[in-house]
């Protein structure tokens, strides 16, 4: 088995590796085996690697130098992605999968594109929904909806990640989380930016499919729901777009994408990320009649990995890196403008509250 399948090296052994990629790879052993896992914490690296019979290391250079590693997966913190993607390309690996975002600026993204072109190493970004069979079926049947849609809505309602991570596997350590003061302007701005670049970015490529004028973007309103998340109303070209995400224990989990025109509507219901409960279901309605596509047995993670195998073996056409750059710059634009808007709103509210309490203080004195 090990001689006929692609060896995978993973940079970062946190919850995404443990609860998403390792279970997915366990289902497609005809194509991959886990060769080596790297984490800066030796105890985590050793323990996670031991689960799959892989070697382990605390050094990126050691993993990239290992000839048993043909495919590199980057699951490290965001700020390391660009450096590690470039290093994996320079190491001459056969393909690279990087969790989103694959860069933190347009300049980094363009450097990655240049290195990928120079080295010939193909790159894909971990936007699993673009590989989901439900989304792919919708693309085949939606007709002129991308041209005629006037409203796009994208909503994620999920409990905190640990609930689903624990359904998938026994996670070895996870980052500590503390409740933040969303009324503080800087905290609110950081929460919105983090939410968009960490969660909303999953399906912003889907939004962009319906917004050809994606650089003509205006944030109309932005709010931070309790306890955390984002509610952003946008004008993108001549389209109305709402992007919503919240993490809460109080609601039924839901992950939906909708596009609506005067004659046609599309609704896609995705399964929560960590559950791996099959594909999305797409419903297209025209003239009062609905057609349903899915659910299918495979999910977007499996589709992503199958495509990666074909890329590594030279059987699939490479993704247009320019499109990956556009996806990133679109997400950055939404994140920057939304965080600026929520900061301005929070500052205005704080100023108003300060002015309202000033007369009371004078009366007391």
């Amino acid at each position: 088995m090990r001689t006929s399948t692609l060896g995978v090296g993973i940079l970062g052994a946190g919850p995404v590796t443990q609860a998403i990629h390792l279970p997915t790879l366990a289902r497609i052993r005809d194509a991959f085996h886990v060769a080596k896992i790297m984490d800066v914490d030796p105890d985590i690296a050793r323990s996670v690697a031991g689960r799959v019979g892989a070697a382990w290391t605390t050094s990126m250079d050691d993993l990239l130098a290992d000839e048993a590693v043909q495919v590199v997966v980057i699951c490290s913190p965001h700020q390391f992605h660009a450096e590690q993607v470039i290093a994996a390309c320079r190491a001459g690996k056969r393909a690279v999968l990087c969790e989103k975002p694959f860069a933190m600026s347009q300049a980094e993204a363009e450097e990655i594109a240049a290195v990928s072109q120079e080295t010939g190493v193909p790159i894909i970004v971990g936007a699993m929904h673009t590989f989901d069979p439900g989304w792919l079926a919708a693309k085949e049947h939606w007709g002129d909806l991308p041209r005629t849609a006037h409203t796009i809505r994208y909503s994620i309602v999920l409990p905190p990640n640990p609930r689903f991570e624990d359904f998938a596997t026994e996670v070895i350590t996870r980052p500590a989380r503390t409740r933040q003061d969303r009324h503080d302007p800087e905290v609110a701005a950081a929460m919105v930016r983090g939410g968009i670049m960490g969660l909303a970015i999953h399906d912003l490529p889907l939004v962009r499919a319906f917004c050809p004028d994606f650089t003509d973007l205006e944030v109309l309103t932005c709010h931070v729901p309790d306890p955390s998340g984002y509610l952003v109303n946008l004008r993108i070209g001549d389209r109305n777009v709402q992007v919503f995400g919240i993490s809460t224990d109080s609601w039924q989990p839901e992950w939906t994408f909708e596009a609506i025109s005067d004659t046609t509507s599309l609704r896609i219901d995705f399964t929560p990320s960590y559950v791996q409960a099959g594909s999305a279901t797409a419903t297209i309605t025209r003239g009062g009649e609905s057609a349903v596509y899915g659910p299918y047995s495979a999910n977007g993670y499996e589709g992503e990995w199958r495509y990666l195998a074909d890329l590594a073996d030279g059987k699939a056409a490479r993704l247009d890196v320019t499109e990956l750059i556009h996806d990133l710059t679109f997400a950055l634009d939404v994140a920057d403008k939304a965080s600026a808007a929520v900061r301005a709103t929070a500052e205005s509210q704080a100023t108003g509250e300060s002015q309202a309490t000033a007369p009371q203080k004078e009366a007391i004195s």
Side-chain angles (χ1 to χ4, degrees), residues 88-352:
C89 289
R90 296 281 188 208
K93 299 305 178 182
R94 289 168 61 175
V96 178
L97 166 61
C98 183
E99 280 300 321
K100 45 73 193 161
F102 76 112
M104 294 304 291
S105 69
Q106 183 171 348
E108 284 186 346
E110 290 174 350
E111 183 180 3
I112 289 171
V115 172
S116 174
Q117 181 69 27
E118 172 193 338
T119 60
V121 177
I123 299 167
I124 69 172
V125 178
M128 70 288 189
H129 288 167
T130 61
F131 295 93
D132 192 291
W135 168 256
L136 298 177
K139 290 178 70 173
E140 289 184 14
H141 296 94
W142 65 34
D144 65 354
L145 186 59
R147 181 176 59 82
T148 59
H150 51 68
T151 301
I152 297 96
R153 294 197 295 250
Y154 163 31
S155 175
I156 307 173
V157 179
L158 295 175
N161 279 350
R163 179 190 293 183
F164 287 142
E165 293 167 356
D166 290 341
F167 284 157
T169 190
E170 181 182 355
V171 172
I172 304 169
T173 76
R174 52 170 56 97
R177 298 181 181 275
T178 57
R179 190 177 180 90
Q180 297 176 295
D181 180 8
R182 63 193 178 91
H183 300 291
D184 181 291
E186 293 305 318
V187 170
M191 290 173 69
V192 167
R193 183 179 177 81
I196 290 171
M197 295 303 294
L199 185 60
I201 194 172
H202 278 298
D203 284 1
L204 288 178
L206 278 58
V207 172
R208 199 167 71 80
F210 291 86
C211 296
D213 301 325
F214 69 92
T215 59
D216 180 16
L217 185 154
E218 178 186 5
V219 173
L220 304 177
T221 61
C222 183
H223 304 283
V224 182
D226 188 25
S228 66
Y230 50 85
L231 172 57
V232 189
N233 289 295
L234 304 161
R235 178 198 57 77
I236 304 176
D238 61 355
R239 312 293 165 92
N240 298 306
V241 179
Q242 184 178 86
V243 180
F244 174 66
I246 189 169
S247 175
T248 173
D249 283 316
S250 64
W251 291 354
Q252 182 74 19
E254 179 183 83
W255 193 317
T256 62
F257 177 90
E258 297 174 276
I260 303 164
S261 75
D262 290 340
T263 59
T264 306
S265 67
L266 164 69
R267 178 185 171 104
I268 303 181
D269 290 277
F270 292 102
T271 58
S273 299
Y274 291 98
V275 175
Q276 308 238 11
S279 78
T281 299
T283 303
I284 298 176
T285 302
R286 292 188 184 92
E289 297 186 358
S290 296
V292 179
Y293 304 93
Y296 304 92
S297 59
N299 62 23
Y301 293 115
E302 293 172 54
E304 182 177 78
W305 276 99
R306 291 290 183 189
Y307 174 69
L308 192 66
D310 288 342
L311 270 181
D313 289 335
K315 298 176 182 177
R318 296 174 55 165
L319 293 175
D320 185 348
V321 182
T322 300
E323 290 302 306
L324 297 181
I325 294 174
H326 286 166
D327 287 340
L328 176 68
T329 56
F330 177 51
L332 288 170
D333 198 18
V334 174
D336 289 343
K337 291 179 178 177
S339 60
V342 79
R343 180 188 292 108
T345 299
E347 289 174 346
S348 176
Q349 291 174 344
T351 300

Side-chain angles (χ1 to χ4, degrees), residues 51-75:
R51 292 181 174 183
V52 292
W56 65 274
T57 182
T58 59
S59 165
M60 177 188 74
D61 291 339
D62 176 58
L63 183 144
L64 295 181
D66 192 334
E67 294 183 359
V69 173
Q70 289 94 42
V71 173
V72 175
V73 185
I74 296 169
C75 301

